[in-house]
Amino acid sequence: MKIKKEVTIYDLAKELNYSPSTISRALNNHKSISKKTVKLIKEAAEEMGYRPNNLAAGLRSNKSNTIGVLISRINRPFVSSLISGIENTARKAGYNVLISQSNDKYQSEINNSNALYDSRISGLIVSLSMETIDMGHFEKFMENGIPIVFVDRVPSNFNSYKVVIDNYTAGYSATKHLIEQGCKRIAHFAGAKHRNVYLERKKGYLDALREHGLPIEDKLVVNFKTLSFDEGTKATEKLLKMTNPPDGIFAANDTTGVSAIMCAKKLGVKVPDQLAVIGFNDDPISSIVQPSLSTVSHPASKMGAISAKRILEHSAQSYDADLSEITVLGTEIIARGSSLRTVKS
Amino acid sequence: MKIKKEVTIYDLAKELNYSPSTISRALNNHKSISKKTVKLIKEAAEEMGYRPNNLAAGLRSNKSNTIGVLISRINRPFVSSLISGIENTARKAGYNVLISQSNDKYQSEINNSNALYDSRISGLIVSLSMETIDMGHFEKFMENGIPIVFVDRVPSNFNSYKVVIDNYTAGYSATKHLIEQGCKRIAHFAGAKHRNVYLERKKGYLDALREHGLPIEDKLVVNFKTLSFDEGTKATEKLLKMTNPPDGIFAANDTTGVSAIMCAKKLGVKVPDQLAVIGFNDDPISSIVQPSLSTVSHPASKMGAISAKRILEHSAQSYDADLSEITVLGTEIIARGSSLRTVKS
DNA sequence: TTGTAGGCGTTATCAG
DNA sequence: CTGATAACGCCTACAA
């Protein structure tokens, strides 16, 4: 296999009897070059198979036009839609997207943030790992003017762009929805409490109970480690075998919500009449399970698009932008069979 | 916000009274530098907050240590797992991963391949868009010694690394499984026929029928455009309303397989006894639907890992490697409720 | 084991 | 409107 030598702006310059600077300017639509020359040069570039070298351009201009993404794992519906939104938006603006997964490990998050930094990304979009508490690894981005957008799983102790949903209200509404369906004893499947999303959903749950005069029982609040299907099944079994089992579950994600439905059915507990369930995220599985799982919408793709837009806007500005803008997106309760009772008790 | 000046190897050199080249070598573990000096320099680098500049290193050494990924869309279970496998493997080797989605548009695939090329990726992993027929946009990679690994949706008319499953055998086995369950009239939900994966699954289906003495009926082979849930529902409805409806469906993906089950249930057709269904991919929804969907495993993450490994291996070789290696992974029939009949008819 | 010097491909400044 | 020149940060012969 012969390796061709790459065509550079020097080759174009020689070929067309222009200086490299003129070629460069023409290729970048610099206004000082006549339309005619630009056209000529671009056509020649095309014909000679010229392709710009982003490494060189990036080194020189100190901007890589690349957005770095730091998430826990890609193969989950919410995350892959988030990235999809980021990529589509970035691509339209001519930006590339560099991804990295922490697999929810703090140390990996540090390593990956360094790797992305080393590529001199124009901005970083982060959804924190489950383990992350200390934010030190993000400081060098701030110090060097690289904007960071935290999305969904955001820190409370770090000032930067944030794109989130109102988890508190969502948790409150989900719980209220169950109450309206006649539930009196509502359990909650809670996620790691140092992650804002889970903490706030839980707060919303607790407040909804309180404000509707329902008692809060510790035994009904199950703290999950990973919110996995198996964990959900075990928790549901335990709850349903109590002498006084709950009549409703608000699960912090759909995976455990679906597991609750399937476990209840297996145990002969009627959903929604004996046990109403609502999840979170609107993952594909939630509309497949029967009865279908009520849930809370989570605008993943839109959150990705907005996050990318923040980076793009920031890059377009020359002045020092205010980095602390927080975008809060709305969510909706999607009521389905798992919670819609025909007769309210 | 003050923007700090970056620390370079020159700064380290000045600080430590070494030449930049020594610093560079030490940082890269060059063997000619003593352990002691390496340690000294690395510690100073750490302390001074030095971070290498990949753009500069890449420009100079003509290798970016970046793998480009070109897929149709990220937010599908198979694809996100594929990317997850790529990323984990690449990361371990110190490579970054650049992603781009074509959204199944030929023109986007061209544009994205150019964008990735411009970033001087070390290798490209591609799963073709639905529309792609011409392969011209991949030639410059070959000409410049950038390895391409086609994965899953691969071309037949382009010689390069390929990582695939044996779609023919999988299609054959899936159909045979239905035959063994007693199905006599088996329909097939087929995907776009210029994409190898769908064509081969269909061939396997046809041969299985033939070899088991079952008639092939054109009306039972439904050609899908996108294999979406809605398309699946419509196709199932139409089939089940025939005067002589099929008693089995082999769907080329799980989405339409699940839609078939749900549609059949709605129409009062018993699954699996009146209609047995098998899908493809083992997406999460397949084990949630009831009866759960029999399917064919698709080792997405593993395919990603192997694809990445091909690139890494190729990069490690100095000689001109043979680019035509094809890796074929095995699949398994996962028999679940949607096809397991208690009484074989 | 370490240093010197040149260049990777591009862009920006300055001059014309 | 165009050209010469330097510089971005790093790597690597070649020299010492």
Side-chain angles (χ1 to χ4, degrees):
Chain A
M1 194 182 50
K2 274 277 200 18
I3 295 183
K4 260 200 206 162
K5 184 127 179 16
E6 304 248 348
V7 180
T8 72
I9 56 172
Y10 276 84
D11 301 320
L12 287 173
K14 210 170 298 171
E15 185 71 20
L16 299 176
N17 273 317
Y18 275 114
S19 73
S21 345
T22 301
I23 304 291
S24 171
R25 284 191 273 248
L27 257 18
N28 291 300
N29 299 310
H30 195 288
K31 52 192 158 200
S32 74
I33 310 286
S34 74
K35 301 273 178 221
K36 209 176 58 184
T37 320
V38 168
K39 186 156 175 274
L40 177 79
I41 291 179
K42 284 196 172 176
E43 280 172 1
E46 172 82 39
E47 196 198 345
M48 291 175 65
Y50 169 79
R51 283 269 102 207
N53 184 328
N54 285 345
L55 297 172
L59 172 61
R60 175 59 233 240
S61 62
N62 202 25
K63 43 204 290 294
S64 62
N65 288 358
T66 298
I67 292 178
V69 180
L70 190 46
I71 36 74
S72 53
R73 29 174 68 83
I74 295 164
N75 52 343
R76 286 194 291 202
F78 173 75
V79 178
S80 60
S81 293
L82 179 80
I83 297 180
S84 184
I86 293 172
E87 201 275 341
N88 282 329
T89 303
R91 186 70 55 202
K92 264 183 228 152
Y95 276 60
N96 280 316
V97 177
L98 219 38
I99 52 163
S100 70
Q101 9 183 30
S102 67
N103 292 305
D104 276 319
K105 298 276 172 254
Y106 172 57
Q107 189 56 49
S108 297
E109 189 175 286
I110 296 181
N111 297 344
N112 294 354
S113 71
N114 281 334
L116 294 176
Y117 181 87
D118 295 351
S119 290
R120 296 303 186 268
I121 53 176
S122 308
L124 179 63
I125 296 175
V126 186
S127 187
L128 292 171
S129 92
M130 280 293 192
E131 293 181 0
T132 306
I133 293 170
D134 185 85
M135 294 282 129
H137 50 305
F138 293 120
E139 255 146 31
K140 67 172 141 332
F141 291 93
M142 306 305 281
E143 288 167 355
N144 286 92
I146 300 171
I148 303 181
V149 180
F150 291 99
V151 57
D152 196 48
R153 293 195 200 160
V154 305
S156 51
N157 54 344
F158 198 92
N159 197 34
S160 188
Y161 292 117
K162 287 171 194 167
V163 176
V164 290
I165 55 170
D166 184 345
N167 286 284
Y168 172 83
T169 300
Y172 185 96
S173 304
T175 309
K176 186 167 159 234
H177 168 74
L178 293 181
I179 296 172
E180 284 167 357
Q181 297 297 314
C183 295
K184 303 287 183 221
R185 304 192 66 239
I186 301 172
H188 177 47
F189 289 176
K193 63 173 154 295
H194 58 281
R195 275 290 73 87
N196 65 304
V197 293
Y198 303 120
L199 181 61
E200 288 172 16
R201 287 170 201 177
K202 182 171 161 185
K203 277 190 189 158
Y205 155 81
L206 294 173
D207 280 0
L209 293 187
R210 236 175 251 128
E211 292 179 19
H212 290 81
L214 294 180
I216 290 168
E217 291 182 53
D218 282 356
K219 271 190 293 189
L220 295 186
V221 179
V222 187
N223 291 302
F224 280 65
K225 213 170 138 42
T226 63
L227 289 167
S228 70
F229 194 91
D230 286 349
E231 241 185 320
T233 304
K234 279 184 197 127
T236 309
E237 257 176 8
K238 200 169 160 192
L239 285 176
L240 292 180
K241 286 180 178 165
M242 286 168 58
T243 45
N244 189 10
D247 58 2
I249 295 176
F250 164 39
N253 74 358
D254 282 344
T255 305
T256 58
V258 167
S259 75
I261 293 176
M262 295 180 78
C263 178
K265 281 168 72 177
K266 204 176 56 194
L267 296 179
V269 173
K270 299 270 179 257
V271 177
D273 291 333
Q274 292 174 281
L275 182 75
V277 184
I278 187 165
F280 210 107
N281 280 356
D282 196 18
D283 284 351
I285 53 169
S286 64
S287 44
I288 300 299
V289 69
Q290 279 195 333
S292 51
L293 176 64
S294 296
T295 189
V296 180
S297 65
H298 204 171
S301 175
K302 194 171 170 190
M303 290 173 86
I306 292 176
S307 303
K309 225 172 271 170
R310 288 279 162 282
I311 307 274
L312 298 173
E313 286 163 5
H314 185 99
S315 303
Q317 292 165 170
S318 49
Y319 61 93
D320 287 347
D322 174 23
L323 271 158
S324 56
E325 190 172 346
I326 298 180
T327 308
V328 182
L329 300 189
T331 58
E332 296 179 0
I333 300 297
I334 302 173
R336 299 202 182 103
S338 73
S339 71
L340 289 175
R341 292 178 169 172
T342 43
V343 182
K344 320 277 192 241
S345 54
Chain B
M1 196 181 49
K2 272 281 200 16
I3 295 184
K4 262 201 205 163
K5 183 120 179 18
E6 305 248 349
V7 180
T8 72
I9 55 172
Y10 278 84
D11 300 321
L12 286 173
K14 210 170 297 171
E15 185 70 20
L16 300 176
N17 273 315
Y18 274 115
S19 74
S21 39
T22 301
I23 305 290
S24 171
R25 284 190 273 245
L27 259 17
N28 292 300
N29 299 311
H30 195 288
K31 52 192 158 197
S32 73
I33 310 286
S34 74
K35 300 275 179 218
K36 211 176 57 184
T37 322
V38 168
K39 186 156 174 270
L40 178 79
I41 292 180
K42 283 196 174 175
E43 281 172 1
E46 171 82 40
E47 196 197 345
M48 292 176 64
Y50 169 80
R51 282 271 104 206
N53 183 328
N54 286 164
L55 298 172
L59 171 62
R60 175 58 233 247
S61 62
N62 202 26
K63 45 204 288 294
S64 61
N65 287 0
T66 298
I67 292 179
V69 179
L70 190 46
I71 36 75
S72 54
R73 29 174 67 83
I74 295 164
N75 52 343
R76 286 194 291 202
F78 173 75
V79 178
S80 59
S81 293
L82 179 80
I83 298 179
S84 184
I86 294 172
E87 200 275 341
N88 283 329
T89 303
R91 184 70 55 201
K92 264 183 230 152
Y95 277 60
N96 281 316
V97 177
L98 220 36
I99 52 163
S100 69
Q101 6 183 32
S102 67
N103 292 304
D104 276 318
K105 298 274 171 256
Y106 172 57
Q107 188 57 48
S108 296
E109 189 174 287
I110 296 180
N111 296 343
N112 293 354
S113 72
N114 281 334
L116 294 176
Y117 182 87
D118 295 351
S119 290
R120 295 304 185 267
I121 52 175
S122 308
L124 179 63
I125 297 176
V126 186
S127 187
L128 292 171
S129 92
M130 281 292 192
E131 293 181 359
T132 305
I133 292 169
D134 185 85
M135 294 283 129
H137 50 306
F138 294 119
E139 257 147 31
K140 68 171 140 333
F141 291 93
M142 307 304 281
E143 287 167 356
N144 286 92
I146 300 171
I148 303 181
V149 179
F150 291 99
V151 57
D152 197 48
R153 293 194 199 160
V154 305
S156 51
N157 54 344
F158 197 92
N159 197 33
S160 189
Y161 291 119
K162 287 171 194 169
V163 176
V164 291
I165 54 170
D166 184 345
N167 286 284
Y168 172 83
T169 301
Y172 185 96
S173 304
T175 310
K176 186 168 159 232
H177 169 75
L178 293 181
I179 295 171
E180 285 166 356
Q181 296 298 313
C183 294
K184 303 286 183 222
R185 303 193 65 238
I186 301 172
H188 177 47
F189 289 176
K193 64 172 153 292
H194 59 282
R195 274 291 72 87
N196 65 306
V197 292
Y198 302 120
L199 180 63
E200 288 171 17
R201 287 171 201 177
K202 181 170 161 184
K203 276 190 191 157
Y205 155 81
L206 293 173
D207 279 1
L209 292 187
R210 235 174 252 129
E211 292 180 19
H212 289 82
L214 294 180
I216 290 168
E217 291 182 54
D218 283 354
K219 269 190 295 189
L220 295 186
V221 179
V222 188
N223 291 303
F224 280 65
K225 213 169 138 44
T226 62
L227 289 167
S228 69
F229 194 90
D230 287 350
E231 242 185 318
T233 303
K234 279 185 196 123
T236 309
E237 257 176 8
K238 199 168 161 193
L239 286 175
L240 292 180
K241 285 180 176 161
M242 286 169 58
T243 44
N244 189 10
D247 58 1
I249 296 177
F250 164 39
N253 73 358
D254 283 345
T255 305
T256 58
V258 167
S259 75
I261 293 177
M262 294 180 79
C263 177
K265 282 168 74 177
K266 205 177 55 195
L267 295 179
V269 174
K270 299 270 179 258
V271 177
D273 290 334
Q274 290 175 282
L275 182 75
V277 184
I278 187 165
F280 210 107
N281 280 356
D282 197 20
D283 283 350
I285 53 169
S286 64
S287 44
I288 300 298
V289 68
Q290 280 195 333
S292 51
L293 176 64
S294 296
T295 188
V296 181
S297 66
H298 204 171
S301 174
K302 193 171 171 188
M303 291 174 87
I306 292 176
S307 303
K309 224 171 274 172
R310 288 279 162 281
I311 307 273
L312 299 173
E313 286 163 4
H314 184 100
S315 302
Q317 292 166 172
S318 48
Y319 61 92
D320 287 347
D322 175 24
L323 271 158
S324 55
E325 190 172 345
I326 298 180
T327 308
V328 182
L329 300 189
T331 58
E332 298 178 359
I333 300 296
I334 302 173
R336 299 204 181 101
S338 73
S339 71
L340 289 175
R341 293 179 171 173
T342 43
V343 182
K344 320 276 195 254
S345 54

